[in-house]
């Protein structure tokens, strides 16, 4: 395992969402859904994070996705 994969596995994504101002999120199985922390929309299911793949995607305004490092960038 390289350093990037190690860091991805150590990050608590729900804590990360809170740092971006997301107060409410829904966990269902393998997914975490919330408003998009990038465009601050009002759709509570627009932003999806897949726990097993450690990837996210905004299904509304942004239409972008990636890993935790892409979100920070």
């Amino acid at each position: 395992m390289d350093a990037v994969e190690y860091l991805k596995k150590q990050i608590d994504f729900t804590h990360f969402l809170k740092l971006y101002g997301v107060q409410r999120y829904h966990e269902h199985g393998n997914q975490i859904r919330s408003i998009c922390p990038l465009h601050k929309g009002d759709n509570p299911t627009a932003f999806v994070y897949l726990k097993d793949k450690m990837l996210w995607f905004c299904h509304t305004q942004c239409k972008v996705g990636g890993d935790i490092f892409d979100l920070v960038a």
Side-chain angles (χ1 to χ4, degrees):
M1 175 184 333
D2 64 1
V4 172
E5 290 300 314
Y6 176 78
L7 288 172
K8 284 186 202 177
K9 290 183 180 189
Q10 298 304 311
I11 294 171
D12 177 358
F13 199 79
T14 58
H15 180 71
F16 189 79
L17 285 175
K18 290 177 185 175
L19 291 174
Y20 269 82
V22 175
Q23 298 302 315
R24 294 179 18 189
Y25 58 87
H26 307 282
E27 290 189 63
H28 182 50
N30 184 44
Q31 298 181 355
I32 298 173
R33 290 184 169 261
S34 71
I35 63 167
C36 179
L38 298 176
H39 76 265
K40 307 290 187 206
D42 59 359
N43 183 341
T45 62
F47 185 85
V48 178
Y49 177 74
L50 301 174
K51 295 177 190 177
D52 64 338
K53 296 182 180 184
M54 296 180 281
L55 295 173
W56 61 272
F57 190 82
C58 173
H59 290 278
T60 57
Q61 189 173 352
C62 297
K63 300 277 191 219
V64 295
D67 64 15
I68 189 91
F69 298 104
D70 296 318
L71 186 60
V72 172

